[in-house]
């Protein structure tokens, strides 16, 4: 399958979907509480996506039964919300997406509920920063593998973390998952050159231990084989005709975090 390059007008619609995802995740971030069931988070997301004029791209995706993924501790991604109660100190990873007028947004974050173990906090901080560095490296004129290289390079510089190998980022547009697949590791200088119109979801998934995973009997939940805790951060970003990026699922378009890495965002969209 070929990469779907988007026009500026199409990306403007994708921004509406991305902003709704970003706002929904912000609402979820402030909603996560010790003692709460994970399906309560799902209900909050479903209501907010509906209120924003979107529909869920997760619900029904290959039979996925919920609006968001909620993954706790050694669950890294694709956890199904349900009657599980969030405990003090849990690492809670939430992945959400929405469709507006046929265009998709997809993003994720991890947060700690209640008491914070500094080692868990560092895991989250490293994962999040690696995502921003991946986006910063994925500039116009770079090659696709430069993104994964930047992610791996940063994660490895911070300690002994496992980077998941079987899961990665992806193109996004009129489907949630499009070409190209974006590895979270690798050498620089491989794959297609990045050009305006490209829209990618960048999503490092790392653990405090192994990179090895297995899928639980529910056929969805991805856990680390050594039960080490994981983190997952994701944003969907685009490259625009002025040669600059814009992070569609970040409320500020990525201005602050990309700015801290010396990357200026586009002002072609808001
Ligand atoms: Mg994704």
């Amino acid at each position: 399958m070929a990469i779907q390059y988007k026009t500026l007008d199409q990306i403007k619609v994708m921004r509406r979907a991305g902003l709704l995802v970003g706002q929904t995740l912000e609402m979820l971030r402030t909603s996560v509480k010790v003692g709460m069931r994970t399906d309560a988070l799902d209900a909050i997301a479903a209501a907010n996506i509906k209120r924003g004029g979107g529909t869920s791209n997760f619900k029904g995706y290959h039979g996925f039964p919920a609006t968001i993924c909620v993954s706790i501790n050694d669950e890294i991604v694709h956890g199904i919300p349900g009657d599980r109660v969030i405990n003090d100190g849990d690492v809670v990873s939430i992945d959400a997406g929405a469709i507006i007028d046929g265009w998709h947004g997809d993003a994720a974050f991890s947060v700690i509920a209640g008491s914070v173990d500094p080692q868990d906090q560092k895991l989250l901080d490293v994962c999040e920063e690696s995502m921003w560095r991946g986006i910063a490296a994925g500039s116009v004129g770079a090659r696709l593998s430069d993104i994964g290289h930047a992610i791996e390079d940063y994660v490895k510089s911070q300690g002994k973390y496992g980077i998941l190998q079987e899961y990665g980022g992806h193109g996004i547009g009129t489907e949630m998952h499009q070409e190209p697949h974006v590895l979270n590791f690798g050498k620089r200088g491989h794959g297609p050159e990045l050009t305006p119109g490209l829209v990618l979801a960048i999503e490092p998934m790392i653990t405090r231990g192994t990179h090895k995973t297995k899928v639980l009997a529910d056929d969805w939940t991805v856990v680390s084989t050594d039960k080490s805790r994981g983190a997952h951060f994701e944003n969907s970003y685009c490259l625009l005709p002025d040669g600059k990026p814009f992070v569609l699922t970040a409320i500020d378009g990525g201005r602050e975090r990309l700015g801290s890495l010396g990357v200026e965002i586009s002002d072609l969209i808001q």
Side-chain angles (χ1 to χ4, degrees), residues 58 95 106-107 168-170 172 176-177 201 203 232 234:
F58 285 29
D95 194 343
D106 185 11
H170 49 92
I172 180 167
M176 179 161 56
H177 293 125
E203 48 178 324
H232 177 213
E234 176 178 22

Side-chain angles (χ1 to χ4, degrees), residues 1-6 144 171-172 178-181 191-200:
M1 250 198 314
I3 295 172
Q4 178 187 54
Y5 292 92
K6 285 81 174 172
L144 184 66
I172 180 167
Q178 298 184 325
E179 291 295 312
H181 182 65
E193 184 178 324
L194 309 183
T195 59
L198 187 65
V199 187
L200 299 174

Side-chain angles (χ1 to χ4, degrees), residues 13-266:
V13 185
M14 290 194 76
R15 170 56 168 166
R16 290 170 51 214
L19 193 54
L20 178 57
V21 172
Q23 288 164 340
T24 301
L25 288 180
E26 200 44 50
M27 179 176 280
L28 291 168
R29 190 195 303 272
T30 58
S31 300
V32 170
K33 295 280 180 320
V34 173
M36 177 181 209
R37 280 170 55 139
T38 56
D39 55 7
L41 293 168
D42 196 69
I44 290 167
N48 200 58
I49 290 170
K50 190 174 179 194
R51 189 161 46 231
T55 54
S56 172
N57 37 14
F58 285 29
K59 194 155 198 166
Y61 182 83
H62 295 285
F64 189 76
T67 299
I68 60 174
C69 300
V70 183
S71 311
I72 295 180
N73 297 337
D74 61 317
E75 302 172 351
I76 305 157
V77 286
H78 303 168
I80 302 172
D83 59 7
R84 182 164 181 176
V85 172
I86 296 170
N87 286 321
D88 188 42
D90 277 354
V91 173
V92 181
S93 297
I94 298 177
D95 194 343
I99 311 169
I100 289 184
D101 291 344
W103 294 89
H104 292 241
D106 185 11
F109 70 95
S110 298
V111 69
I112 300 170
S115 315
V116 174
D117 173 338
Q119 302 270 68
D120 286 338
Q121 187 60 54
K122 185 170 181 203
L123 169 80
L124 270 57
D125 292 345
V126 168
C127 189
E128 183 172 21
E129 177 68 11
S130 76
M131 171 193 68
W132 288 109
R133 287 180 183 236
I135 293 169
S139 56
V140 168
R143 301 278 291 271
L144 184 66
S145 76
D146 297 355
I147 297 171
H149 178 79
I151 291 169
E152 180 181 28
D153 196 46
Y154 179 72
V155 171
K156 284 193 166 164
S157 77
Q158 296 302 305
K160 281 179 137 333
Y161 296 101
I163 302 176
L164 270 58
Q165 316 272 298
E166 295 99 333
Y167 305 90
H170 49 92
I172 180 167
T174 50
E175 297 93 27
M176 179 161 56
H177 293 125
Q178 298 184 325
E179 291 295 312
H181 182 65
V182 186
L183 296 172
N184 290 316
F185 56 91
K187 292 195 170 75
R188 244 188 221 122
H190 295 274
E193 184 178 324
L194 309 183
T195 59
L198 187 65
V199 187
L200 299 174
I202 302 303
E203 48 178 324
M205 290 151 261
I206 68 173
T207 79
R208 284 176 55 184
T210 183
H211 67 271
K212 295 198 184 109
T213 60
K214 63 180 183 185
V215 178
L216 295 184
D218 63 14
D219 280 339
W220 282 101
T221 312
V222 176
V223 298
S224 58
T225 55
D226 63 358
K227 300 205 183 300
S228 58
R229 291 182 165 198
H232 177 213
F233 282 82
E234 176 178 22
N235 268 313
S236 304
Y237 85 103
C238 62
L239 295 172
L240 288 161
D242 60 1
K244 294 176 188 169
F246 188 92
V247 183
L248 298 165
T249 47
I251 290 168
D252 75 347
R255 186 178 302 278
E256 188 188 331
R257 294 298 295 260
L258 289 180
S260 76
L261 295 169
V263 176
E264 195 185 334
I265 63 165
S266 176

